[in-house]
Amino acid sequence: AAIRTKGVLDWVEIGATADGKVTALHVATTADHGAFDAAADPSKYPAGIFGIVTGSYSFPVAHAEVDAYFTNKAPGGIAYRCSFRVTEASFAIERGMDILADELNMDAAELRKKNFIRKDQFPYPSALGFTYDSGDYHKTLDTALDKIGYAALLKEQADKRARGELMGIGLSTFTEVVGAGPSKHFDILGIKMFDSAEIRIHPTGAGIVRTGAKSQGQGHETTWAQVVAEELGLDPQNIMVEEGDTDTAPYGLGTYASRSTPVAGAAIVMA
């Protein structure tokens, strides 16, 4: 066994007014940490539960706590089919908001929009310590609802329920931290979690981009070429991508935790 993920139980309490405005959040977690700590266990602030369990919502106050247990399992909390425990945190707050909507007899989408961080509030310091840099959650959700025909789905749901049929409509509007960064919060044994990029352009307009990330099938070759082409006004077909060469690759911490585009991609833009 190498690593594993999940292995947590979350209890969520949300305070709210009768008209659906959230006032407080409390999350208690019981976590199986395996035989020893991994960098992403939920008690390692600010990853996962402690950092983003407030989700996309403007909670005035929030409190998160964890009871952690060492067991004979492999270490947990690694970004294996999740992102540093944030999947559990996202599920916890989104399920909590769904239950709150049911308790208040409110539409789940309207409850979310009522409590979203507003565009004019960014950069937004969350109640649990992270600063959210940017976003337009209202526009994003409205666009999604329009694309799926949400109003028509609600009518279809009401008609089916009147006939005794069951039909559910699921919503999730999560915000999570990915990329194993920024460096001021994340490191591995003191090694900062940033990536680097190098770009060279030939007089003919062709170019080469080198990064410290390495594709595992994600399609870096296409993405990096498009990023360089967009930034410099070049043809992406003329951009060569080079990864995984220890003789030429600049410093980087690798490909995991959904970090390639937000970290290595950002380094390419800055380069």
PDB file of all heavy atoms in Angstrom, residues 164-205:
ATOM      1  N   GLY A 164     -46.916  11.581  -8.676  1.00  0.00           N
ATOM      2  CA  GLY A 164     -46.362  10.555  -7.799  1.00  0.00           C
ATOM      3  C   GLY A 164     -45.012  10.030  -8.228  1.00  0.00           C
ATOM      4  O   GLY A 164     -44.519   9.033  -7.688  1.00  0.00           O
ATOM      5  N   GLU A 165     -44.386  10.670  -9.204  1.00  0.00           N
ATOM      6  CA  GLU A 165     -43.064  10.260  -9.665  1.00  0.00           C
ATOM      7  C   GLU A 165     -41.985  11.048  -8.920  1.00  0.00           C
ATOM      8  O   GLU A 165     -42.226  12.160  -8.434  1.00  0.00           O
ATOM      9  CB  GLU A 165     -42.929  10.507 -11.173  1.00  0.00           C
ATOM     10  CG  GLU A 165     -43.957   9.759 -12.012  1.00  0.00           C
ATOM     11  CD  GLU A 165     -43.840  10.091 -13.491  1.00  0.00           C
ATOM     12  OE1 GLU A 165     -42.724  10.462 -13.925  1.00  0.00           O
ATOM     13  OE2 GLU A 165     -44.854  10.014 -14.202  1.00  0.00           O
ATOM     14  N   LEU A 166     -40.797  10.470  -8.859  1.00  0.00           N
ATOM     15  CA  LEU A 166     -39.688  11.124  -8.171  1.00  0.00           C
ATOM     16  C   LEU A 166     -38.692  11.677  -9.190  1.00  0.00           C
ATOM     17  O   LEU A 166     -38.328  10.997 -10.148  1.00  0.00           O
ATOM     18  CB  LEU A 166     -38.968  10.132  -7.250  1.00  0.00           C
ATOM     19  CG  LEU A 166     -39.797   9.551  -6.106  1.00  0.00           C
ATOM     20  CD1 LEU A 166     -38.958   8.557  -5.306  1.00  0.00           C
ATOM     21  CD2 LEU A 166     -40.309  10.668  -5.204  1.00  0.00           C
ATOM     22  N   MET A 167     -38.271  12.909  -8.962  1.00  0.00           N
ATOM     23  CA  MET A 167     -37.263  13.533  -9.816  1.00  0.00           C
ATOM     24  C   MET A 167     -36.441  14.497  -8.964  1.00  0.00           C
ATOM     25  O   MET A 167     -36.999  15.366  -8.288  1.00  0.00           O
ATOM     26  CB  MET A 167     -37.905  14.297 -10.985  1.00  0.00           C
ATOM     27  CG  MET A 167     -36.911  15.096 -11.819  1.00  0.00           C
ATOM     28  SD  MET A 167     -37.709  16.045 -13.130  1.00  0.00           S
ATOM     29  CE  MET A 167     -36.347  17.069 -13.688  1.00  0.00           C
ATOM     30  N   GLY A 168     -35.149  14.343  -8.949  1.00  0.00           N
ATOM     31  CA  GLY A 168     -34.277  15.234  -8.183  1.00  0.00           C
ATOM     32  C   GLY A 168     -33.472  16.132  -9.100  1.00  0.00           C
ATOM     33  O   GLY A 168     -33.208  15.806 -10.261  1.00  0.00           O
ATOM     34  N   ILE A 169     -33.104  17.291  -8.587  1.00  0.00           N
ATOM     35  CA  ILE A 169     -32.238  18.229  -9.302  1.00  0.00           C
ATOM     36  C   ILE A 169     -31.080  18.557  -8.371  1.00  0.00           C
ATOM     37  O   ILE A 169     -31.286  19.092  -7.270  1.00  0.00           O
ATOM     38  CB  ILE A 169     -32.978  19.524  -9.688  1.00  0.00           C
ATOM     39  CG1 ILE A 169     -34.192  19.198 -10.569  1.00  0.00           C
ATOM     40  CG2 ILE A 169     -32.031  20.482 -10.419  1.00  0.00           C
ATOM     41  CD1 ILE A 169     -35.069  20.399 -10.853  1.00  0.00           C
ATOM     42  N   GLY A 170     -29.860  18.233  -8.762  1.00  0.00           N
ATOM     43  CA  GLY A 170     -28.696  18.456  -7.904  1.00  0.00           C
ATOM     44  C   GLY A 170     -27.903  19.676  -8.309  1.00  0.00           C
ATOM     45  O   GLY A 170     -27.696  19.943  -9.503  1.00  0.00           O
ATOM     46  N   LEU A 171     -27.454  20.437  -7.316  1.00  0.00           N
ATOM     47  CA  LEU A 171     -26.616  21.609  -7.549  1.00  0.00           C
ATOM     48  C   LEU A 171     -25.368  21.529  -6.683  1.00  0.00           C
ATOM     49  O   LEU A 171     -25.424  21.075  -5.535  1.00  0.00           O
ATOM     50  CB  LEU A 171     -27.361  22.905  -7.206  1.00  0.00           C
ATOM     51  CG  LEU A 171     -28.542  23.310  -8.083  1.00  0.00           C
ATOM     52  CD1 LEU A 171     -29.224  24.541  -7.472  1.00  0.00           C
ATOM     53  CD2 LEU A 171     -28.085  23.611  -9.500  1.00  0.00           C
ATOM     54  N   SER A 172     -24.258  21.980  -7.198  1.00  0.00           N
ATOM     55  CA  SER A 172     -23.043  22.106  -6.403  1.00  0.00           C
ATOM     56  C   SER A 172     -22.273  23.321  -6.910  1.00  0.00           C
ATOM     57  O   SER A 172     -21.971  23.420  -8.101  1.00  0.00           O
ATOM     58  CB  SER A 172     -22.178  20.849  -6.518  1.00  0.00           C
ATOM     59  OG  SER A 172     -20.989  20.993  -5.773  1.00  0.00           O
ATOM     60  N   THR A 173     -21.980  24.250  -6.020  1.00  0.00           N
ATOM     61  CA  THR A 173     -21.297  25.489  -6.416  1.00  0.00           C
ATOM     62  C   THR A 173     -20.073  25.676  -5.533  1.00  0.00           C
ATOM     63  O   THR A 173     -19.974  26.631  -4.776  1.00  0.00           O
ATOM     64  CB  THR A 173     -22.240  26.699  -6.288  1.00  0.00           C
ATOM     65  OG1 THR A 173     -22.812  26.707  -4.971  1.00  0.00           O
ATOM     66  CG2 THR A 173     -23.366  26.624  -7.288  1.00  0.00           C
ATOM     67  N   PHE A 174     -19.141  24.747  -5.643  1.00  0.00           N
ATOM     68  CA  PHE A 174     -18.035  24.722  -4.696  1.00  0.00           C
ATOM     69  C   PHE A 174     -16.862  25.597  -5.133  1.00  0.00           C
ATOM     70  O   PHE A 174     -16.644  25.831  -6.320  1.00  0.00           O
ATOM     71  CB  PHE A 174     -17.557  23.290  -4.470  1.00  0.00           C
ATOM     72  CG  PHE A 174     -16.983  22.624  -5.687  1.00  0.00           C
ATOM     73  CD1 PHE A 174     -15.634  22.708  -5.956  1.00  0.00           C
ATOM     74  CD2 PHE A 174     -17.803  21.908  -6.544  1.00  0.00           C
ATOM     75  CE1 PHE A 174     -15.094  22.093  -7.076  1.00  0.00           C
ATOM     76  CE2 PHE A 174     -17.273  21.280  -7.663  1.00  0.00           C
ATOM     77  CZ  PHE A 174     -15.916  21.373  -7.936  1.00  0.00           C
ATOM     78  N   THR A 175     -16.128  26.066  -4.171  1.00  0.00           N
ATOM     79  CA  THR A 175     -14.841  26.724  -4.381  1.00  0.00           C
ATOM     80  C   THR A 175     -13.826  25.950  -3.561  1.00  0.00           C
ATOM     81  O   THR A 175     -14.046  25.689  -2.384  1.00  0.00           O
ATOM     82  CB  THR A 175     -14.864  28.187  -3.913  1.00  0.00           C
ATOM     83  OG1 THR A 175     -15.834  28.915  -4.681  1.00  0.00           O
ATOM     84  CG2 THR A 175     -13.493  28.836  -4.090  1.00  0.00           C
ATOM     85  N   GLU A 176     -12.716  25.580  -4.181  1.00  0.00           N
ATOM     86  CA  GLU A 176     -11.725  24.796  -3.452  1.00  0.00           C
ATOM     87  C   GLU A 176     -10.317  25.277  -3.771  1.00  0.00           C
ATOM     88  O   GLU A 176     -10.088  25.947  -4.779  1.00  0.00           O
ATOM     89  CB  GLU A 176     -11.853  23.311  -3.778  1.00  0.00           C
ATOM     90  CG  GLU A 176     -11.547  22.955  -5.228  1.00  0.00           C
ATOM     91  CD  GLU A 176     -11.603  21.459  -5.486  1.00  0.00           C
ATOM     92  OE1 GLU A 176     -12.449  20.792  -4.873  1.00  0.00           O
ATOM     93  OE2 GLU A 176     -10.799  20.966  -6.289  1.00  0.00           O
ATOM     94  N   VAL A 177      -9.391  24.939  -2.896  1.00  0.00           N
ATOM     95  CA  VAL A 177      -7.988  25.277  -3.133  1.00  0.00           C
ATOM     96  C   VAL A 177      -7.312  24.087  -3.800  1.00  0.00           C
ATOM     97  O   VAL A 177      -7.430  22.957  -3.350  1.00  0.00           O
ATOM     98  CB  VAL A 177      -7.274  25.650  -1.817  1.00  0.00           C
ATOM     99  CG1 VAL A 177      -7.386  24.541  -0.786  1.00  0.00           C
ATOM    100  CG2 VAL A 177      -5.813  26.000  -2.061  1.00  0.00           C
ATOM    101  N   VAL A 178      -6.646  24.345  -4.909  1.00  0.00           N
ATOM    102  CA  VAL A 178      -5.903  23.302  -5.610  1.00  0.00           C
ATOM    103  C   VAL A 178      -4.515  23.829  -5.943  1.00  0.00           C
ATOM    104  O   VAL A 178      -4.221  25.003  -5.778  1.00  0.00           O
ATOM    105  CB  VAL A 178      -6.620  22.869  -6.912  1.00  0.00           C
ATOM    106  CG1 VAL A 178      -7.968  22.271  -6.620  1.00  0.00           C
ATOM    107  CG2 VAL A 178      -6.757  24.042  -7.866  1.00  0.00           C
ATOM    108  N   GLY A 179      -3.665  22.943  -6.394  1.00  0.00           N
ATOM    109  CA  GLY A 179      -2.362  23.377  -6.869  1.00  0.00           C
ATOM    110  C   GLY A 179      -1.244  23.273  -5.868  1.00  0.00           C
ATOM    111  O   GLY A 179      -0.100  23.571  -6.184  1.00  0.00           O
ATOM    112  N   ALA A 180      -1.547  22.872  -4.617  1.00  0.00           N
ATOM    113  CA  ALA A 180      -0.505  22.786  -3.594  1.00  0.00           C
ATOM    114  C   ALA A 180       0.261  24.097  -3.512  1.00  0.00           C
ATOM    115  O   ALA A 180       1.471  24.151  -3.607  1.00  0.00           O
ATOM    116  CB  ALA A 180       0.434  21.618  -3.873  1.00  0.00           C
ATOM    117  N   GLY A 181      -0.416  25.144  -3.306  1.00  0.00           N
ATOM    118  CA  GLY A 181       0.177  26.466  -3.180  1.00  0.00           C
ATOM    119  C   GLY A 181      -0.849  27.360  -2.531  1.00  0.00           C
ATOM    120  O   GLY A 181      -1.955  26.919  -2.244  1.00  0.00           O
ATOM    121  N   PRO A 182      -0.522  28.604  -2.233  1.00  0.00           N
ATOM    122  CA  PRO A 182       0.735  29.299  -2.502  1.00  0.00           C
ATOM    123  C   PRO A 182       1.852  28.900  -1.533  1.00  0.00           C
ATOM    124  O   PRO A 182       1.600  28.265  -0.511  1.00  0.00           O
ATOM    125  CB  PRO A 182       0.357  30.769  -2.330  1.00  0.00           C
ATOM    126  CG  PRO A 182      -0.753  30.737  -1.327  1.00  0.00           C
ATOM    127  CD  PRO A 182      -1.519  29.484  -1.621  1.00  0.00           C
ATOM    128  N   SER A 183       3.061  29.317  -1.871  1.00  0.00           N
ATOM    129  CA  SER A 183       4.227  28.878  -1.112  1.00  0.00           C
ATOM    130  C   SER A 183       4.182  29.296   0.350  1.00  0.00           C
ATOM    131  O   SER A 183       4.730  28.621   1.214  1.00  0.00           O
ATOM    132  CB  SER A 183       5.497  29.422  -1.767  1.00  0.00           C
ATOM    133  OG  SER A 183       5.692  28.857  -3.046  1.00  0.00           O
ATOM    134  N   LYS A 184       3.530  30.401   0.639  1.00  0.00           N
ATOM    135  CA  LYS A 184       3.480  30.860   2.031  1.00  0.00           C
ATOM    136  C   LYS A 184       2.667  29.918   2.906  1.00  0.00           C
ATOM    137  O   LYS A 184       2.791  29.943   4.130  1.00  0.00           O
ATOM    138  CB  LYS A 184       2.912  32.274   2.110  1.00  0.00           C
ATOM    139  CG  LYS A 184       1.452  32.403   1.701  1.00  0.00           C
ATOM    140  CD  LYS A 184       0.983  33.850   1.834  1.00  0.00           C
ATOM    141  CE  LYS A 184      -0.478  34.000   1.440  1.00  0.00           C
ATOM    142  NZ  LYS A 184      -0.940  35.404   1.585  1.00  0.00           N
ATOM    143  N   HIS A 185       1.836  29.070   2.295  1.00  0.00           N
ATOM    144  CA  HIS A 185       1.020  28.132   3.052  1.00  0.00           C
ATOM    145  C   HIS A 185       1.497  26.688   2.926  1.00  0.00           C
ATOM    146  O   HIS A 185       1.310  25.889   3.838  1.00  0.00           O
ATOM    147  CB  HIS A 185      -0.434  28.192   2.592  1.00  0.00           C
ATOM    148  CG  HIS A 185      -1.131  29.468   2.946  1.00  0.00           C
ATOM    149  ND1 HIS A 185      -1.067  30.036   4.186  1.00  0.00           N
ATOM    150  CD2 HIS A 185      -1.927  30.290   2.197  1.00  0.00           C
ATOM    151  CE1 HIS A 185      -1.781  31.150   4.202  1.00  0.00           C
ATOM    152  NE2 HIS A 185      -2.306  31.312   3.013  1.00  0.00           N
ATOM    153  N   PHE A 186       2.073  26.326   1.789  1.00  0.00           N
ATOM    154  CA  PHE A 186       2.358  24.921   1.523  1.00  0.00           C
ATOM    155  C   PHE A 186       3.835  24.701   1.236  1.00  0.00           C
ATOM    156  O   PHE A 186       4.451  25.451   0.481  1.00  0.00           O
ATOM    157  CB  PHE A 186       1.554  24.429   0.313  1.00  0.00           C
ATOM    158  CG  PHE A 186       0.078  24.359   0.551  1.00  0.00           C
ATOM    159  CD1 PHE A 186      -0.737  25.445   0.265  1.00  0.00           C
ATOM    160  CD2 PHE A 186      -0.502  23.223   1.072  1.00  0.00           C
ATOM    161  CE1 PHE A 186      -2.094  25.382   0.486  1.00  0.00           C
ATOM    162  CE2 PHE A 186      -1.865  23.149   1.288  1.00  0.00           C
ATOM    163  CZ  PHE A 186      -2.662  24.233   1.002  1.00  0.00           C
ATOM    164  N   ASP A 187       4.383  23.666   1.809  1.00  0.00           N
ATOM    165  CA  ASP A 187       5.728  23.231   1.452  1.00  0.00           C
ATOM    166  C   ASP A 187       5.866  21.756   1.805  1.00  0.00           C
ATOM    167  O   ASP A 187       5.075  21.206   2.557  1.00  0.00           O
ATOM    168  CB  ASP A 187       6.800  24.066   2.158  1.00  0.00           C
ATOM    169  CG  ASP A 187       6.769  23.876   3.667  1.00  0.00           C
ATOM    170  OD1 ASP A 187       7.148  22.781   4.138  1.00  0.00           O
ATOM    171  OD2 ASP A 187       6.356  24.809   4.383  1.00  0.00           O
ATOM    172  N   ILE A 188       6.861  21.113   1.221  1.00  0.00           N
ATOM    173  CA  ILE A 188       7.206  19.736   1.562  1.00  0.00           C
ATOM    174  C   ILE A 188       8.612  19.761   2.146  1.00  0.00           C
ATOM    175  O   ILE A 188       9.580  20.034   1.432  1.00  0.00           O
ATOM    176  CB  ILE A 188       7.159  18.823   0.330  1.00  0.00           C
ATOM    177  CG1 ILE A 188       5.739  18.749  -0.244  1.00  0.00           C
ATOM    178  CG2 ILE A 188       7.640  17.416   0.684  1.00  0.00           C
ATOM    179  CD1 ILE A 188       5.625  17.902  -1.492  1.00  0.00           C
ATOM    180  N   LEU A 189       8.701  19.550   3.453  1.00  0.00           N
ATOM    181  CA  LEU A 189       9.987  19.562   4.142  1.00  0.00           C
ATOM    182  C   LEU A 189      10.753  20.847   3.860  1.00  0.00           C
ATOM    183  O   LEU A 189      11.972  20.846   3.700  1.00  0.00           O
ATOM    184  CB  LEU A 189      10.822  18.346   3.719  1.00  0.00           C
ATOM    185  CG  LEU A 189      10.220  16.965   4.041  1.00  0.00           C
ATOM    186  CD1 LEU A 189      11.109  15.860   3.493  1.00  0.00           C
ATOM    187  CD2 LEU A 189      10.010  16.803   5.539  1.00  0.00           C
ATOM    188  N   GLY A 190      10.020  21.960   3.799  1.00  0.00           N
ATOM    189  CA  GLY A 190      10.659  23.245   3.589  1.00  0.00           C
ATOM    190  C   GLY A 190      10.846  23.632   2.146  1.00  0.00           C
ATOM    191  O   GLY A 190      11.286  24.755   1.851  1.00  0.00           O
ATOM    192  N   ILE A 191      10.536  22.715   1.205  1.00  0.00           N
ATOM    193  CA  ILE A 191      10.658  23.030  -0.220  1.00  0.00           C
ATOM    194  C   ILE A 191       9.371  23.714  -0.670  1.00  0.00           C
ATOM    195  O   ILE A 191       8.293  23.140  -0.577  1.00  0.00           O
ATOM    196  CB  ILE A 191      10.898  21.758  -1.050  1.00  0.00           C
ATOM    197  CG1 ILE A 191      12.162  21.050  -0.574  1.00  0.00           C
ATOM    198  CG2 ILE A 191      11.012  22.101  -2.536  1.00  0.00           C
ATOM    199  CD1 ILE A 191      12.382  19.711  -1.245  1.00  0.00           C
ATOM    200  N   LYS A 192       9.495  24.927  -1.144  1.00  0.00           N
ATOM    201  CA  LYS A 192       8.313  25.699  -1.508  1.00  0.00           C
ATOM    202  C   LYS A 192       7.627  25.126  -2.741  1.00  0.00           C
ATOM    203  O   LYS A 192       8.262  24.593  -3.649  1.00  0.00           O
ATOM    204  CB  LYS A 192       8.691  27.161  -1.744  1.00  0.00           C
ATOM    205  CG  LYS A 192       9.202  27.852  -0.485  1.00  0.00           C
ATOM    206  CD  LYS A 192       8.189  27.781   0.646  1.00  0.00           C
ATOM    207  CE  LYS A 192       8.667  28.515   1.886  1.00  0.00           C
ATOM    208  NZ  LYS A 192       7.701  28.422   2.995  1.00  0.00           N
ATOM    209  N   MET A 193       6.296  25.298  -2.767  1.00  0.00           N
ATOM    210  CA  MET A 193       5.472  24.620  -3.759  1.00  0.00           C
ATOM    211  C   MET A 193       5.199  25.476  -4.991  1.00  0.00           C
ATOM    212  O   MET A 193       4.064  25.633  -5.420  1.00  0.00           O
ATOM    213  CB  MET A 193       4.160  24.200  -3.117  1.00  0.00           C
ATOM    214  CG  MET A 193       4.321  23.362  -1.862  1.00  0.00           C
ATOM    215  SD  MET A 193       5.060  21.778  -2.218  1.00  0.00           S
ATOM    216  CE  MET A 193       3.706  20.975  -3.044  1.00  0.00           C
ATOM    217  N   PHE A 194       6.245  26.064  -5.574  1.00  0.00           N
ATOM    218  CA  PHE A 194       6.028  26.830  -6.793  1.00  0.00           C
ATOM    219  C   PHE A 194       6.587  26.082  -7.995  1.00  0.00           C
ATOM    220  O   PHE A 194       7.321  25.102  -7.866  1.00  0.00           O
ATOM    221  CB  PHE A 194       6.643  28.225  -6.676  1.00  0.00           C
ATOM    222  CG  PHE A 194       8.145  28.240  -6.579  1.00  0.00           C
ATOM    223  CD1 PHE A 194       8.929  28.257  -7.722  1.00  0.00           C
ATOM    224  CD2 PHE A 194       8.767  28.259  -5.339  1.00  0.00           C
ATOM    225  CE1 PHE A 194      10.303  28.281  -7.643  1.00  0.00           C
ATOM    226  CE2 PHE A 194      10.152  28.282  -5.249  1.00  0.00           C
ATOM    227  CZ  PHE A 194      10.929  28.285  -6.400  1.00  0.00           C
ATOM    228  N   ASP A 195       6.243  26.535  -9.184  1.00  0.00           N
ATOM    229  CA  ASP A 195       6.770  25.968 -10.409  1.00  0.00           C
ATOM    230  C   ASP A 195       7.409  27.076 -11.243  1.00  0.00           C
ATOM    231  O   ASP A 195       7.165  28.260 -11.024  1.00  0.00           O
ATOM    232  CB  ASP A 195       5.667  25.284 -11.223  1.00  0.00           C
ATOM    233  CG  ASP A 195       5.528  23.817 -10.856  1.00  0.00           C
ATOM    234  OD1 ASP A 195       5.399  23.544  -9.653  1.00  0.00           O
ATOM    235  OD2 ASP A 195       5.541  22.968 -11.764  1.00  0.00           O
ATOM    236  N   SER A 196       8.219  26.678 -12.212  1.00  0.00           N
ATOM    237  CA  SER A 196       8.934  27.633 -13.064  1.00  0.00           C
ATOM    238  C   SER A 196       8.679  27.297 -14.531  1.00  0.00           C
ATOM    239  O   SER A 196       8.251  26.191 -14.870  1.00  0.00           O
ATOM    240  CB  SER A 196      10.436  27.587 -12.771  1.00  0.00           C
ATOM    241  OG  SER A 196      10.702  27.719 -11.395  1.00  0.00           O
ATOM    242  N   ALA A 197       8.980  28.257 -15.387  1.00  0.00           N
ATOM    243  CA  ALA A 197       8.836  28.047 -16.822  1.00  0.00           C
ATOM    244  C   ALA A 197       9.903  28.845 -17.561  1.00  0.00           C
ATOM    245  O   ALA A 197      10.347  29.896 -17.095  1.00  0.00           O
ATOM    246  CB  ALA A 197       7.448  28.462 -17.301  1.00  0.00           C
ATOM    247  N   GLU A 198      10.289  28.326 -18.702  1.00  0.00           N
ATOM    248  CA  GLU A 198      11.256  29.003 -19.563  1.00  0.00           C
ATOM    249  C   GLU A 198      10.717  28.992 -20.981  1.00  0.00           C
ATOM    250  O   GLU A 198      10.256  27.957 -21.482  1.00  0.00           O
ATOM    251  CB  GLU A 198      12.607  28.277 -19.506  1.00  0.00           C
ATOM    252  CG  GLU A 198      13.662  28.844 -20.431  1.00  0.00           C
ATOM    253  CD  GLU A 198      14.913  27.994 -20.446  1.00  0.00           C
ATOM    254  OE1 GLU A 198      15.644  27.989 -19.429  1.00  0.00           O
ATOM    255  OE2 GLU A 198      15.149  27.302 -21.462  1.00  0.00           O
ATOM    256  N   ILE A 199      10.758  30.143 -21.641  1.00  0.00           N
ATOM    257  CA  ILE A 199      10.258  30.258 -23.015  1.00  0.00           C
ATOM    258  C   ILE A 199      11.348  30.867 -23.887  1.00  0.00           C
ATOM    259  O   ILE A 199      11.958  31.877 -23.520  1.00  0.00           O
ATOM    260  CB  ILE A 199       8.994  31.137 -23.093  1.00  0.00           C
ATOM    261  CG1 ILE A 199       7.868  30.545 -22.232  1.00  0.00           C
ATOM    262  CG2 ILE A 199       8.525  31.293 -24.540  1.00  0.00           C
ATOM    263  CD1 ILE A 199       6.656  31.445 -22.121  1.00  0.00           C
ATOM    264  N   ARG A 200      11.594  30.246 -25.027  1.00  0.00           N
ATOM    265  CA  ARG A 200      12.536  30.777 -25.995  1.00  0.00           C
ATOM    266  C   ARG A 200      11.834  30.906 -27.347  1.00  0.00           C
ATOM    267  O   ARG A 200      11.158  29.974 -27.787  1.00  0.00           O
ATOM    268  CB  ARG A 200      13.770  29.881 -26.114  1.00  0.00           C
ATOM    269  CG  ARG A 200      14.598  29.808 -24.826  1.00  0.00           C
ATOM    270  CD  ARG A 200      15.890  29.055 -25.043  1.00  0.00           C
ATOM    271  NE  ARG A 200      16.686  29.015 -23.820  1.00  0.00           N
ATOM    272  CZ  ARG A 200      17.923  28.530 -23.743  1.00  0.00           C
ATOM    273  NH1 ARG A 200      18.501  28.046 -24.843  1.00  0.00           N
ATOM    274  NH2 ARG A 200      18.587  28.529 -22.599  1.00  0.00           N
ATOM    275  N   ILE A 201      12.023  32.061 -27.983  1.00  0.00           N
ATOM    276  CA  ILE A 201      11.367  32.330 -29.260  1.00  0.00           C
ATOM    277  C   ILE A 201      12.418  32.511 -30.341  1.00  0.00           C
ATOM    278  O   ILE A 201      13.369  33.280 -30.191  1.00  0.00           O
ATOM    279  CB  ILE A 201      10.483  33.589 -29.176  1.00  0.00           C
ATOM    280  CG1 ILE A 201       9.454  33.445 -28.053  1.00  0.00           C
ATOM    281  CG2 ILE A 201       9.784  33.839 -30.513  1.00  0.00           C
ATOM    282  CD1 ILE A 201       8.499  32.294 -28.218  1.00  0.00           C
ATOM    283  N   HIS A 202      12.246  31.799 -31.447  1.00  0.00           N
ATOM    284  CA  HIS A 202      13.139  31.894 -32.599  1.00  0.00           C
ATOM    285  C   HIS A 202      12.690  33.066 -33.480  1.00  0.00           C
ATOM    286  O   HIS A 202      11.499  33.405 -33.514  1.00  0.00           O
ATOM    287  CB  HIS A 202      13.090  30.576 -33.384  1.00  0.00           C
ATOM    288  CG  HIS A 202      14.152  30.451 -34.426  1.00  0.00           C
ATOM    289  ND1 HIS A 202      13.987  30.912 -35.713  1.00  0.00           N
ATOM    290  CD2 HIS A 202      15.406  29.919 -34.367  1.00  0.00           C
ATOM    291  CE1 HIS A 202      15.097  30.671 -36.413  1.00  0.00           C
ATOM    292  NE2 HIS A 202      15.974  30.065 -35.611  1.00  0.00           N
ATOM    293  N   PRO A 203      13.607  33.707 -34.200  1.00  0.00           N
ATOM    294  CA  PRO A 203      13.208  34.808 -35.098  1.00  0.00           C
ATOM    295  C   PRO A 203      12.142  34.433 -36.113  1.00  0.00           C
ATOM    296  O   PRO A 203      11.416  35.303 -36.616  1.00  0.00           O
ATOM    297  CB  PRO A 203      14.533  35.165 -35.798  1.00  0.00           C
ATOM    298  CG  PRO A 203      15.591  34.786 -34.819  1.00  0.00           C
ATOM    299  CD  PRO A 203      15.073  33.557 -34.134  1.00  0.00           C
ATOM    300  N   THR A 204      12.007  33.157 -36.426  1.00  0.00           N
ATOM    301  CA  THR A 204      10.977  32.725 -37.384  1.00  0.00           C
ATOM    302  C   THR A 204       9.571  32.757 -36.793  1.00  0.00           C
ATOM    303  O   THR A 204       8.586  32.599 -37.514  1.00  0.00           O
ATOM    304  CB  THR A 204      11.270  31.303 -37.870  1.00  0.00           C
ATOM    305  OG1 THR A 204      11.228  30.404 -36.739  1.00  0.00           O
ATOM    306  CG2 THR A 204      12.644  31.221 -38.530  1.00  0.00           C
ATOM    307  N   GLY A 205       9.462  32.918 -35.463  1.00  0.00           N
ATOM    308  CA  GLY A 205       8.169  32.881 -34.805  1.00  0.00           C
ATOM    309  C   GLY A 205       7.874  31.571 -34.125  1.00  0.00           C
ATOM    310  O   GLY A 205       6.852  31.438 -33.442  1.00  0.00           O
TER     311      GLY A 205
END
